[in-house]
Structure formats: structure tokens, C-alpha cells
Amino acid sequence: MTANIIAIAVIAWIGQIILGWYQLKSFNHALALLSEKGQVGIGRSGGGFRSRVLIAIAVDEKSKITAAIIMTGITIFARPKALLEVYGLSVTDLEPARIFPTNQPKREALTLAITPKI
């Protein structure tokens, strides 16, 4: 009985490692595509038992957003998706509260993504 429980735990652990690796590979691929379209800014929010949000944007030399992705969820099944709402907007004029009026974690992640880092 104990051996069965240990075997199930080990199989679940290995499955989590494999799926986590796949998630990271998928995000890194999306990030590489973003970096070809301009300077990249990344913001994240959430954590713990709340849904985590990660937003990455590509900005050209005119401060226009050329591409953006969002990854949201609490599991290893979250995958990057295009964030079409911000394409073509100027970073200086962008108001996260207008893009995500009812979603605080997404507002926070977008605010961090558009904030210049030194």
C-alpha cells in the first residue's frame, strides 16, 4: 500500500516536471519571437493561491507596442496567448485601468510591463 502511494507521488512529480518544462519552453519561444519585434518589457502579478498573470510586451523605437503576450493561470497548463488589446498603442498613453477595468492582477502586470527598467 505504501509503495503504491510513493509510486503515484513519484509519477505525479515527474509529470509536473515534464509539463513545467514544456510550459517554460513555450514561454521562452514566445519571448524570443517578441524580442525580434522590439525592446521587451515583462510584468507579473499574483501568486500563492491566486491566479498568476504574466504579461510581456515588445515596444518599437517610437514607443508603440508591436506585440504582446499574456499568460494567466495557477497551473502548469497556462500557455502564452496574444494580447491583442494593446497592439499599436503608445506606451506613454497606455492606461492599464482602461484595458483591464475589472481585473486587478492583469492591471498590475501590464503596469509593470510598461514601466521602464534601468
Side-chain angles (χ1 to χ4, degrees), residues 18-97:
I18 291 169
L19 291 172
W21 172 82
Y22 182 70
Q23 180 185 42
L24 188 60
K25 181 180 170 187
S26 177
F27 176 73
N28 284 340
H29 177 71
L31 195 59
L33 292 175
L34 274 182
S35 67
E36 294 173 359
K37 297 180 179 183
Q39 186 175 358
V40 176
I42 299 174
R44 73 171 186 87
S45 69
F49 291 107
R50 296 182 312 164
S51 179
R52 188 171 298 229
V53 177
L54 192 141
I55 294 178
I57 60 169
V59 181
D60 67 9
E61 58 279 344
K62 297 175 186 171
S63 295
K64 296 279 185 191
I65 297 175
T66 56
I69 58 172
I70 184 169
M71 206 163 86
T72 181
I74 57 172
T75 69
I76 53 178
F77 297 110
R79 296 287 174 260
K81 298 177 181 117
L83 182 60
L84 302 175
E85 295 94 325
V86 298
Y87 278 42
L89 298 177
S90 173
V91 172
T92 55
D93 299 333
L94 184 64
E95 295 180 33

